[in-house]
Amino acid sequence: MKDCIVVGAGVSGLVTARELERRGRSVTVLEARDRVGGRTLSPSFGGARLDVGGQWIGPRQRHIAELVRELGLATFPQHHAGSKLLARGEDTVRYGGVFAFPRMSPWAMIDLLLARRRLARSLAELEPERPWASRDARAWDALTFEAWMNKNIRTQGARFLLSNVVRAVVAAEPEEISFLFFLDFLRRGGSLDETVGIPGGAQETRIVEGMQSVSERMASALGEAVHLGEPVRAIHQRDRWVEVITDRETHTGRFVVVSVPPAIAARIRYGVSLGRDRERLMDRLPMGSVIKFVVQYETPFWRQAGLSGEAASDRGIILMTMDATAANGSVAALVAFSLGKQGRYWAKRPPEERKRAALAELTHLFGPKAAHPVRFEEKVWVDDPWTGGCYCAVPGPGTLTSFGDALRASCGRIHWAGCETALEWPGVDGAVESGKRAAGEVQGRLAVETSRTMEVRA
Amino acid sequence: MKDCIVVGAGVSGLVTARELERRGRSVTVLEARDRVGGRTLSPSFGGARLDVGGQWIGPRQRHIAELVRELGLATFPQHHAGSKLLARGEDTVRYGGVFAFPRMSPWAMIDLLLARRRLARSLAELEPERPWASRDARAWDALTFEAWMNKNIRTQGARFLLSNVVRAVVAAEPEEISFLFFLDFLRRGGSLDETVGIPGGAQETRIVEGMQSVSERMASALGEAVHLGEPVRAIHQRDRWVEVITDRETHTGRFVVVSVPPAIAARIRYGVSLGRDRERLMDRLPMGSVIKFVVQYETPFWRQAGLSGEAASDRGIILMTMDATAANGSVAALVAFSLGKQGRYWAKRPPEERKRAALAELTHLFGPKAAHPVRFEEKVWVDDPWTGGCYCAVPGPGTLTSFGDALRASCGRIHWAGCETALEWPGVDGAVESGKRAAGEVQGRLAVETSRTMEVRA
């Protein structure tokens, strides 16, 4: 019997296990895949590992930053020097330097600034840990972000930009998500600008060794406690322990922490019902839709042309790109994203067609050199059976105000981790934070039960 | 080894089994509950059984009508003589007779008539079996019904009425559902008027013996083929058969038909992956939120006061009511619904508080006699672990155009039934239709495999 069984060896699960082990508790981590890292994945491109999963650390993201330091990993700034590109139809606009925003009409600019101020004012009124308990929560959760834009945005330019912000940061469409959810997302990011920004923003820093190294280092310290290729099928709660059933065996522990996305957690069978709120919550948390491309080139030719590698496009397969070159420059690369309904559409096309279309779009943006990559890697997260999408769950209207409290509420001896349960940034940082929280909860209950047992013995 | 294992003894599952058995095929039906009927449930109120689940048959609903006849059940018209009530805040308006609509401003009336015409024009353009393949499907699936109203409705009166139509017919909020889904819902109903109407509409006819009798009669003819209290946990596909695992035993069959709601089907473990489209679809089909109250009184006192029993209200717990008196008049009753976010809210309140609030609202609508029922029955479908809500699944924007084709597509030896897979009316009628379709699919494949086996033998 272990003190705790952890389901999922992504960042949140491994942090849970690491924190408990540090306090002298015994743990087993059960991972369905044959690798650790969950939504982080860093294949090797010869000289360097580049991220086709979670990638960035922002200045507010102290949990992951601290962990990276503790694990002895190195960081480096996301490249952003140079001009950015904005492609709409056949027009491609180059901007940057003194222009913080792409060239837009003065009306669109004013519209955007007003919208930004309105968002800032609203997000300041959110209750940090339970946004669904905020004063205006019911009204905000009864709006999609699309509906909010319909009421608050007057120009096509501002709408185009904000819609792409939504797609870029939550990988869903403005009409799919609750305004309350998105507002709280911006609150966690600090502001609209910090959420989308590179320097001073959520895309500020990368990890030299690749983000998956975070999980790998934790897993290697945990050693044989981490079991790969062992998907959890059922969790049965007994009076004083839990049984966690995999294809291979039945693990018993005093507690269990489930640290997989809610829609995946719904696929586990629970011997004791989790209750209405948790069950209905899990019905209502589909994942965002992401395909991430990392395309390696001989040289970072865009830098030579004065471009930063950042681009936004409404032309088809790629919504945004960034420079993905390795820290030491040994591997030159661009990263590109297909997001939201675009991501769902392209997930269904044959890989060759996807590659052809992605390279055509990169060529449209960055010129003919982009047509000839050294290597083309893609990760279709929508197809991944153990996350069901990326980056994280995207609640539609009504979900958080009806069932938000079930996100972190333990169900008997089952506790929940994963970036969906984070109090702060709902990405890798939130995964770390949630793992610490879940470990704290379990540690607290273990302490109580141990002291009770000692009392009984005395 | 059976020819077919059916998961779920609701209407669709039992029709599947019945149709296959008629053609000489062997079946087993596995039901999680200790009763048959799924989303239909007809407790006895002394002299008669009244419906706290699926209840009505409309004139277009030929599949259920035919089945009811075959089973020797009797029907009778839903009572609708008398005035209707519309409560908004403290105002209660009585209307009816020559007024098809409640008293509204001429502007609201014109607004509503224009909206109705616009809806009719759009729904005529839908492709019947695959609305997601219609010409304008992408645009319509990128709107919530709320967003459609924002563009097309100018008056508060028309918006109030249409919002309540949405809540009444799909048990979800206008901002939660895809416009494409709702438009297709109206198309299946024939029109807006037929979908919400009593005479000539989807609420035209009731079953004397209660809707659950449909399932009970089918189950009794199937005899020992129907297993109650045996939830299916896993389905493993082999080369030439399937293994269906319950808590009690492993059933083997050549094919399996899963006839439970998609969000419940997602809880079954599939040994062979169902593939991206089916998996992502199941992540995205939450159920509507319904509490159904049936309140028995000494007499149908509202009829004596010239009221039909129909009411709509925006005041709190009850969105709509109808007369629920038994066919022979032996039991007088009203049926009332709590729907959408209202249903989710009230599902969380203690039963006594719910009863108090519901009776207070009925009293507000129908007068002091409504405060003293003979009996108060409720069914909180949101809490039901084997449907997860009612009446049916409610896709948000993007789901149908991205994954609609997976609704009915078989996955290896697994076929799908249930009203979510219906081509026509997505209620009890669609359950019957989908059961026939699934049985036809399985029968076709059984015929092919049998002839192949005979060829090999020859």
Side-chain angles (χ1 to χ4, degrees):
Chain A
M1 164 112 56
K2 300 289 182 183
D3 288 320
C4 189
I5 310 292
V6 175
V7 182
V11 173
S12 58
L14 291 166
V15 167
T16 306
R18 168 185 162 92
E19 293 287 322
L20 285 169
E21 210 178 52
R22 279 176 157 189
R23 295 172 205 178
R25 301 303 183 173
S26 58
V27 292
T28 296
V29 183
L30 301 169
E31 168 58 45
R33 298 181 174 95
D34 56 4
R35 63 167 182 86
V36 299
R39 292 171 244 184
T40 66
L41 182 60
S42 314
S44 173
F45 285 71
R49 294 178 70 185
L50 303 182
D51 291 308
V52 295
Q55 177 166 12
W56 289 289
I57 306 176
R60 303 170 63 95
Q61 299 175 23
R62 57 196 172 87
H63 301 285
I64 179 67
E66 188 185 308
L67 180 59
V68 162
R69 267 194 307 277
E70 280 179 25
L71 294 172
L73 294 164
T75 60
F76 71 110
Q78 166 67 38
H79 177 80
H80 64 92
S83 299
K84 308 174 193 188
L85 298 173
L86 179 72
R88 293 183 69 179
E90 286 312 296
D91 282 352
T92 301
V93 180
R94 199 171 159 140
Y95 69 102
V98 291
F99 298 105
F101 288 109
R103 208 163 53 200
M104 5 164 87
S105 78
W107 301 120
M109 186 64 88
I110 290 167
D111 202 17
L112 193 65
L113 292 172
L114 288 175
R116 198 169 63 159
R117 194 202 285 174
R118 233 171 267 132
L119 287 171
R121 221 183 285 138
S122 296
L123 69 84
E125 284 170 29
L126 285 175
E127 275 204 29
E129 303 194 355
R130 299 174 64 235
W132 48 86
S134 310
R135 203 195 56 195
D136 295 323
R138 282 171 155 260
W140 290 340
D141 203 31
L143 288 176
T144 59
F145 188 72
E146 173 85 7
W148 183 86
M149 286 198 295
N150 287 340
K151 287 186 186 178
N152 290 279
I153 303 296
R154 295 278 163 273
T155 61
Q156 279 304 311
R159 169 180 288 267
F160 172 79
L161 208 137
L162 282 176
S163 298
N164 281 345
V165 164
V166 167
R167 297 184 185 110
V169 303
V170 301
E173 299 297 318
E175 68 267 17
E176 291 168 11
I177 59 166
S178 153
F179 175 64
L180 176 67
F181 163 70
F182 189 66
L183 197 62
D184 187 54
F185 196 99
L186 296 182
R187 184 196 62 74
R188 293 154 177 240
S191 66
L192 179 62
D193 295 23
E194 286 170 82
T195 301
V196 301
I198 295 181
Q203 285 67 237
E204 188 176 63
T205 302
R206 292 171 57 195
I207 297 180
V208 173
E209 298 85 352
M211 188 60 95
Q212 198 184 358
S213 303
V214 172
S215 296
E216 288 164 350
R217 295 217 175 165
M218 288 193 286
S220 111
L222 288 161
E224 292 185 358
V226 180
H227 299 216
L228 298 181
E230 202 173 336
V232 168
R233 305 303 186 180
I235 297 176
H236 293 282
Q237 301 201 48
R238 309 298 174 198
D239 262 8
R240 305 179 67 86
W241 70 89
V242 286
E243 290 164 16
V244 180
I245 297 166
T246 70
D247 291 345
R248 238 180 271 159
E249 58 181 309
T250 297
H251 301 263
T252 57
R254 295 209 172 283
F255 295 94
V256 59
V257 172
V258 176
S259 56
V260 299
I264 302 300
R267 262 74 170 177
I268 296 171
R269 181 184 153 210
Y270 301 91
V272 175
S273 165
L274 301 176
R276 174 220 313 122
D277 290 4
R278 176 76 206 176
E279 288 285 346
R280 294 298 76 78
L281 180 74
M282 295 191 301
D283 294 342
R284 284 165 168 76
L285 288 175
M287 300 293 283
S289 305
V290 178
I291 306 172
K292 193 166 177 182
F293 305 100
V294 172
V295 190
Q296 184 188 351
Y297 294 100
E298 284 293 349
T299 61
F301 59 87
W302 54 93
R303 293 188 184 181
Q304 286 127 36
L307 295 170
S308 71
E310 287 163 84
S313 169
D314 76 342
R315 292 167 30 85
I317 187 168
I318 287 171
L319 189 105
M320 58 179 238
T321 71
M322 250 184 252
D323 186 299
T325 301
N328 62 4
S330 61
V331 178
L334 289 168
V335 55
F337 292 84
S338 202
L339 298 162
K341 65 182 169 192
Q342 176 189 61
R344 293 195 293 268
Y345 172 82
W346 283 102
K348 299 187 176 199
R349 309 306 306 163
E352 322 79 61
E353 189 185 333
R354 211 155 45 217
K355 181 176 175 181
R356 212 161 43 234
L359 290 178
E361 181 58 22
L362 289 174
T363 304
H364 178 89
L365 290 165
F366 295 102
K369 284 187 183 154
H372 308 289
V374 175
R375 182 161 156 202
F376 182 91
E377 276 292 316
E378 64 168 15
K379 172 66 183 171
V380 183
W381 286 101
V382 184
D383 285 351
D384 189 301
W386 300 113
T387 60
C390 257
Y391 324 114
C392 57
V394 281
T399 298
L400 292 178
T401 44
S402 292
F403 305 115
D405 274 326
L407 267 173
R408 284 182 294 270
S410 58
C411 300
R413 292 178 174 270
I414 304 175
H415 290 248
W416 309 98
C419 73
E420 280 78 14
T421 72
L423 299 168
E424 300 171 25
W425 182 250
V428 183
D429 185 67
V432 178
E433 176 228 296
S434 76
K436 288 182 188 167
R437 175 192 46 75
E441 288 170 7
V442 169
Q443 171 68 7
R445 292 181 69 179
L446 283 167
V448 169
E449 293 200 354
T450 315
S451 73
R452 270 206 208 119
T453 312
M454 285 169 67
E455 273 171 39
V456 171
R457 277 189 195 143
Chain B
M1 163 112 58
K2 301 287 184 185
D3 289 319
C4 188
I5 310 292
V6 176
V7 182
V11 173
S12 57
L14 291 166
V15 167
T16 306
R18 169 186 162 90
E19 294 287 321
L20 285 169
E21 210 178 52
R22 280 176 157 191
R23 295 172 205 179
R25 301 304 184 174
S26 59
V27 293
T28 296
V29 183
L30 301 169
E31 168 58 44
R33 297 180 174 99
D34 56 3
R35 63 165 182 87
V36 299
R39 291 173 245 183
T40 67
L41 183 60
S42 314
S44 173
F45 284 70
R49 295 178 69 185
L50 303 182
D51 291 308
V52 295
Q55 180 166 10
W56 288 289
I57 306 176
R60 301 170 63 96
Q61 299 176 24
R62 58 196 171 88
H63 300 285
I64 178 68
E66 186 186 308
L67 179 59
V68 162
R69 265 195 309 276
E70 280 178 24
L71 295 171
L73 294 163
T75 60
F76 71 110
Q78 166 67 38
H79 178 79
H80 65 92
S83 298
K84 308 174 191 188
L85 299 172
L86 179 72
R88 294 184 68 177
E90 287 312 296
D91 282 352
T92 301
V93 179
R94 198 171 160 141
Y95 69 102
V98 290
F99 298 106
F101 289 110
R103 206 164 54 204
M104 4 164 89
S105 78
W107 301 121
M109 185 64 86
I110 290 167
D111 202 16
L112 193 66
L113 292 173
L114 287 176
R116 199 169 62 160
R117 195 202 285 174
R118 234 171 266 133
L119 289 170
R121 221 183 286 137
S122 296
L123 70 83
E125 283 170 31
L126 286 175
E127 274 202 30
E129 305 194 353
R130 299 175 63 237
W132 48 86
S134 310
R135 203 195 56 197
D136 295 323
R138 282 171 156 258
W140 290 340
D141 203 30
L143 288 175
T144 60
F145 188 71
E146 174 86 5
W148 183 86
M149 286 198 296
N150 288 341
K151 288 188 186 178
N152 291 278
I153 305 295
R154 294 280 163 271
T155 61
Q156 279 305 311
R159 168 180 288 267
F160 172 79
L161 207 137
L162 282 177
S163 298
N164 281 344
V165 163
V166 166
R167 295 184 185 111
V169 304
V170 302
E173 299 296 318
E175 67 268 19
E176 291 168 12
I177 59 166
S178 153
F179 175 63
L180 176 67
F181 163 71
F182 189 66
L183 197 62
D184 187 54
F185 197 99
L186 296 182
R187 184 196 61 75
R188 293 155 176 240
S191 66
L192 179 60
D193 294 24
E194 286 170 80
T195 301
V196 303
I198 295 182
Q203 285 68 237
E204 188 176 62
T205 302
R206 293 171 57 195
I207 296 179
V208 172
E209 298 85 351
M211 188 61 95
Q212 198 183 358
S213 303
V214 171
S215 295
E216 288 164 350
R217 294 214 176 168
M218 286 192 287
S220 111
L222 288 161
E224 292 184 359
V226 181
H227 299 216
L228 298 181
E230 202 172 335
V232 168
R233 305 304 185 181
I235 298 176
H236 293 281
Q237 300 201 50
R238 308 299 174 199
D239 261 8
R240 305 178 68 86
W241 70 88
V242 286
E243 290 164 16
V244 180
I245 297 167
T246 71
D247 291 345
R248 239 178 271 159
E249 56 182 308
T250 296
H251 301 264
T252 56
R254 296 211 172 281
F255 294 95
V256 58
V257 172
V258 176
S259 56
V260 300
I264 302 300
R267 264 72 169 178
I268 296 171
R269 183 186 152 211
Y270 301 90
V272 174
S273 165
L274 301 177
R276 175 223 309 125
D277 290 3
R278 175 78 205 177
E279 289 286 345
R280 294 299 75 78
L281 179 74
M282 295 192 302
D283 293 343
R284 285 166 167 78
L285 288 175
M287 299 294 283
S289 305
V290 178
I291 306 173
K292 193 167 177 180
F293 305 100
V294 173
V295 191
Q296 184 187 350
Y297 294 100
E298 284 291 349
T299 60
F301 60 86
W302 54 93
R303 294 187 184 182
Q304 286 127 36
L307 295 170
S308 71
E310 287 162 84
S313 169
D314 76 341
R315 291 165 33 83
I317 187 169
I318 288 171
L319 189 106
M320 59 177 236
T321 72
M322 249 184 253
D323 187 298
T325 301
N328 62 6
S330 61
V331 178
L334 288 168
V335 56
F337 292 84
S338 202
L339 298 162
K341 66 182 168 193
Q342 177 190 60
R344 293 195 293 267
Y345 172 82
W346 283 101
K348 298 188 175 197
R349 310 306 308 164
E352 322 79 62
E353 189 186 332
R354 210 154 45 216
K355 180 177 176 180
R356 214 161 41 236
L359 290 178
E361 181 58 23
L362 289 174
T363 304
H364 178 89
L365 290 166
F366 294 102
K369 284 185 182 153
H372 308 290
V374 176
R375 183 162 156 202
F376 182 91
E377 276 292 315
E378 64 168 15
K379 172 66 183 173
V380 184
W381 287 101
V382 183
D383 284 352
D384 190 300
W386 300 113
T387 59
C390 259
Y391 323 114
C392 57
V394 282
T399 299
L400 292 179
T401 42
S402 292
F403 305 116
D405 274 326
L407 267 173
R408 283 183 293 269
S410 57
C411 301
R413 292 178 173 270
I414 305 175
H415 291 248
W416 309 99
C419 72
E420 282 77 14
T421 71
L423 298 169
E424 302 171 24
W425 182 251
V428 183
D429 185 67
V432 178
E433 176 229 295
S434 75
K436 288 183 189 167
R437 175 192 45 75
E441 288 170 7
V442 169
Q443 171 69 6
R445 292 182 68 178
L446 283 167
V448 169
E449 292 200 354
T450 314
S451 73
R452 270 206 208 118
T453 312
M454 285 169 69
E455 273 170 41
V456 171
R457 277 188 196 145

